[in-house]
């Protein structure tokens, strides 16, 4: 639902987020915004760092001869923890300028790329990943390697789009 011409522009929910108590607190506090931004960056670093490690392993980069399934069992909890930090902190950051950021092309691209990265992971886990225990140590199947390449490009796009939000 959008406001009519002459009124506020953009979806009502974005104005509600921005004008609410959390949005005001995020804008008015000297330390709250920077603290939340640090949490968001740390969450994304943890999330993307662990995903990149697994993607490189799927592409054949051997890390101390660790099998893919073993590396995944170590990185998945850290990826989830990173996402658990990045998502709520990102929502808090959005509240500061939701009416502007929520319609920003870079923000929309970032959200779309995150969705596609999640879909890529889901397709990997519903496809090639089902036989991960049987993969040769040095040769993940082509579907897994393709998913790793897509993941690397999608997450790089997320980082670029996220940074571009401030400039558009």
């Amino acid at each position: 639902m959008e406001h009519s011409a002459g009124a506020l522009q953009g979806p009502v929910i974005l104005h509600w987020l921005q004008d609410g108590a959390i949005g005001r607190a995020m804008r008015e506090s000297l330390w709250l915004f920077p603290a939340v931004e640090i949490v968001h960056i740390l969450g994304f670093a943890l999330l993307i760092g662990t995903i990149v490690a697994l993607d490189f392993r799927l592409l054949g980069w051997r890390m101390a001869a660790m099998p893919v399934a073993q590396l995944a069992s170590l990185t998945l909890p850290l990826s989830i923890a990173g996402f658990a930090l990045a998502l709520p902190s990102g929502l808090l950051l959005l509240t500061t300028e939701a009416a502007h950021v929520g319609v920003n092309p870079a923000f929309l691209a970032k959200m779309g790329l995150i969705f596609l990265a999640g879909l890529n992971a889901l397709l990997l886990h519903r496809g090639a990943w089902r036989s991960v225990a049987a993969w040769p140590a040095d040769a993940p199947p082509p579907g897994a390697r393709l998913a790793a390449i897509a993941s690397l490009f999608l997450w790089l796009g997320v980082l670029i789009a996220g940074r571009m939000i401030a400039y558009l």
Side-chain angles (χ1 to χ4, degrees):
M1 181 164 99
E2 296 198 16
H3 293 281
S4 62
L8 297 174
Q9 297 298 310
V12 173
I13 191 159
L14 296 178
H15 291 279
W16 177 80
L17 284 171
Q18 179 175 302
D19 297 337
I22 295 172
R24 278 193 311 277
M26 287 289 294
R27 284 188 303 278
E28 293 172 3
S29 171
L30 179 63
W31 297 106
L32 188 56
F33 184 90
V36 171
E37 190 169 37
I38 289 167
V39 169
H40 190 65
I41 292 167
L42 290 174
F44 246 98
L46 186 58
L47 171 66
I48 293 176
T50 54
I51 288 171
V52 166
L54 184 59
D55 287 344
F56 279 136
R57 181 62 186 92
L58 289 173
L59 291 171
W61 188 36
R62 305 240 343 170
M63 295 171 222
M66 185 177 291
V68 171
Q70 185 180 0
L71 180 61
S73 70
L74 295 173
T75 58
L76 183 60
L78 296 172
S79 297
I80 292 169
F83 189 76
L85 290 172
L87 178 65
S89 59
L91 290 172
L92 288 171
L93 292 172
L94 176 63
T95 66
T96 63
E97 294 184 74
H100 171 70
V101 173
V103 297
N104 182 307
F107 174 78
L108 297 173
K110 179 181 177 181
M111 295 301 103
L113 290 166
I114 290 171
F115 174 79
L116 290 175
L119 181 60
N120 181 57
L122 177 67
L123 292 173
L124 170 64
H125 285 273
R126 295 219 172 179
W129 197 263
R130 290 181 180 204
S131 63
V132 67
W135 293 355
D138 292 334
R145 290 190 301 246
L146 182 61
I149 291 168
S151 174
L152 288 169
F153 279 105
L154 289 166
W155 286 110
L156 177 61
V158 168
L159 291 174
I160 292 169
R163 189 64 202 119
M164 292 304 297
I165 292 170
Y167 301 103
L168 297 179

